[in-house]
Amino acid sequence: MRSTNSSLEFLRRISRRRRSAKNGVESISEYVEQCSALLTPEKLDELRAKLPLLNLRFAAIAVPQFPHLRQQLKLLADFFEDTEDRVFPAWSDVSRKETAFALAYTAKETDIIPDFIPEIGYADDSIHTRPIEILVKAQKKVVGMVL
């Protein structure tokens, strides 16, 4: 269990904003912002088409170190689908793209920390989905939706 705690602490440290970062991103949130801004309408359409399959993959994630990851991904997938269907026309393009990026990142076979690594494989996925989950919940509360 000690290795899990030290691994998670390492991930917390590297996800914090760094004043020393040069010519790159300074934090996970900045990374998400920059990468999501690059998503084209075609990429969003591709993600939308893959969403039913991705939802099945996300539902099969079972890692005790990140017990809420499945629910976070379900919330983000529902939000992305709703924004694509224009259920919430007031949502910003930025929110939709950041949600799409978090979903696409989690779906990647190879990412910063490969998912097959015991104890920390889904840590980077969780780090990328958590800020977007908070944003989505806040936006849904603004319009009085029950979560």
Side-chain angles (χ1 to χ4, degrees):
M1 188 59 124
R2 186 168 184 187
S3 67
T4 300
N5 290 339
S6 61
S7 298
L8 293 176
E9 181 53 36
F10 169 75
L11 291 167
R12 284 186 193 102
R13 284 196 318 268
I14 66 169
S15 69
R16 293 186 189 121
R17 180 170 284 280
R18 300 281 185 227
R19 290 186 187 136
S20 61
K22 295 180 182 175
N23 302 326
V25 295
E26 295 182 351
S27 67
I28 296 294
S29 60
E30 189 176 319
Y31 175 70
V32 170
E33 288 171 18
Q34 287 184 10
C35 291
S36 63
L38 301 175
L39 291 174
T40 63
E42 294 79 23
K43 290 288 183 189
L44 295 174
D45 289 344
E46 286 176 27
L47 180 65
R48 174 62 189 271
K50 294 178 184 176
L51 206 52
L53 181 59
L54 293 178
N55 279 330
L56 292 174
R57 284 182 50 200
F58 295 156
I61 294 173
V63 286
Q65 294 84 359
F66 305 100
H68 303 292
L69 185 57
R70 244 189 313 201
Q71 294 94 344
Q72 291 169 337
L73 291 167
K74 172 78 171 113
L75 175 70
L76 296 183
D78 289 349
F79 178 78
F80 177 71
E81 194 170 38
D82 288 346
T83 58
E84 286 294 297
D85 289 342
R86 305 287 185 223
V87 172
F88 306 115
W91 295 144
S92 73
D93 191 46
V94 172
S95 298
R96 189 172 80 251
K97 284 184 172 186
E98 287 181 354
T99 301
F101 173 75
L103 293 168
Y105 183 89
T106 302
K108 285 172 61 172
E109 298 277 330
T110 55
D111 49 23
I112 295 171
I113 303 171
D115 297 339
F116 62 81
I117 296 178
E119 299 179 357
I120 64 166
Y122 284 94
D124 58 325
D125 302 293
S126 182
I127 288 170
H128 285 89
T129 58
R130 184 67 178 146
I132 310 305
E133 177 209 15
I134 292 168
L135 173 70
V136 167
K137 283 184 175 180
Q139 289 181 344
K140 285 187 169 191
K141 285 181 182 178
V142 166
V143 295
M145 294 188 66
V146 178
L147 297 177

